[in-house]
Amino acid sequence: MVDHVELPPHRFAELVAPAIDRVFLAGMLAGRDGGGAELSSRYGGPAATGFLVEFRTRLAATGGTVDGPGFAAVTRYRDPAACQRVVDKQVAHGMLQRVPDGGCCATERGLAFLSELFGVHAEVTEELWAGQDDRVERLVTALGRVLAYALLLTEDDEPAAFAAMAPPHEPDGTPAGVLLLNRLGTLRYHRADAHAAAWTAAGHTAASIAQLPPGPERLAIEQETDRRAAGPYAVLTAEERLAVLADLAALPG
């Protein structure tokens, strides 16, 4: 039956991207509304915690650092000077500290915040995806294989957003819901790099691609993005790709 499934990696990359976005954003919004906003306020609010939340999959590890090129890649659509001012504020709050290459790492206070944030995410994903244990476990396993293969495929590439965020921090005992949330989030950066490579090859900048309207040129860039994002999904069989789509579609959120 697997031989009759028509779902090549580039087509899967197109279909899975919005499914990943939907489930990931549902989990993050649940985290914000289910205790994350209150937690952030105790540490100084978004002005103190914003980049810690964004870079949590790297910064939560003791000694975890986001380097300068990785920071620039993740924030490629934002004004660099404005981003540095935000970092300055979070340094002043005692949540981040700068490293010599222009990147940053979490302070002890920042690590304490992230530890609590992972706890919030554990609680909200358990509630959000209650009764979906088998589905969550299947997705965790499949996406773990995809991430591992993506790391192999990109290990010789120039530094980019995916390299800054992968592999996600997964200490022993991390609940399946948190594993799924963070694996989904990390995979989004792989596609973000593929998209940046596609619009760069088409002669665009971060500013110009943001202004490009729908049409043949935008469609061609999206198709090239799918092609560039497809590589890691080759580790799954066509049947497994269908199962991932079905499991993502069935998750509440």
Side-chain angles (χ1 to χ4, degrees):
M1 291 297 293
V2 175
D3 293 338
H4 300 292
V5 175
E6 296 292 339
L7 190 59
H10 72 277
R11 176 61 173 152
F12 178 76
E14 175 191 0
L15 295 173
V16 81
I20 286 174
D21 287 349
R22 182 190 71 83
V23 176
F24 171 75
L25 293 173
M28 291 302 290
L29 288 172
R32 183 197 66 187
D33 297 339
E38 186 276 332
L39 170 64
S40 176
S41 70
R42 287 197 280 110
Y43 281 85
T49 63
F51 279 134
L52 280 161
V53 176
E54 185 167 4
F55 290 100
R56 70 194 178 284
T57 60
R58 174 58 61 87
L59 296 182
T62 301
T65 299
V66 175
D67 63 21
F71 183 92
V74 171
T75 61
R76 57 171 60 98
Y77 298 106
R78 287 171 262 177
D79 177 66
C83 287
Q84 292 306 315
R85 289 194 293 271
V86 173
V87 173
D88 288 340
K89 291 178 181 178
Q90 293 177 19
V91 169
H93 277 279
M95 304 296 282
L96 292 177
Q97 89 180 42
R98 292 187 179 276
V99 296
D101 72 354
C104 59
C105 63
T107 62
E108 287 189 13
R109 180 174 170 80
L111 289 172
F113 166 77
L114 288 172
S115 178
E116 291 192 62
L117 180 66
F118 273 53
V120 168
H121 286 168
E123 292 176 4
V124 299
T125 56
E126 182 178 12
E127 180 178 350
L128 180 64
W129 299 324
Q132 306 289 330
D133 293 357
D134 290 346
R135 186 165 281 118
V136 169
E137 290 287 356
R138 284 197 301 269
L139 285 167
V140 166
T141 299
L143 297 181
R145 290 168 57 204
V146 171
L147 278 171
Y149 194 42
L151 284 164
L152 284 175
L153 293 176
T154 59
E155 63 183 355
D156 295 325
D157 290 356
E158 293 295 319
F162 181 68
M165 305 299 284
H169 177 56
E170 298 178 347
D172 291 344
T174 301
V178 177
L179 292 176
L180 178 58
L181 181 68
N182 289 340
R183 289 181 185 186
L184 289 169
T186 306
L187 269 176
R188 294 174 86 231
Y189 290 106
H190 184 273
R191 184 175 180 87
D193 287 341
H195 187 50
W199 55 249
T200 298
H204 280 280
T205 65
S208 67
I209 192 62
Q211 300 299 319
L212 184 66
E217 185 179 8
R218 168 70 74 173
L219 177 60
I221 290 171
E222 294 301 327
Q223 290 173 337
E224 177 63 10
T225 299
D226 295 334
R227 186 189 70 78
R228 291 173 181 264
Y233 298 121
V235 77
L236 302 177
T237 66
E239 188 175 57
E240 287 171 331
R241 291 175 212 138
L242 281 174
V244 166
L245 285 175
D247 283 337
L248 287 171
L251 284 182

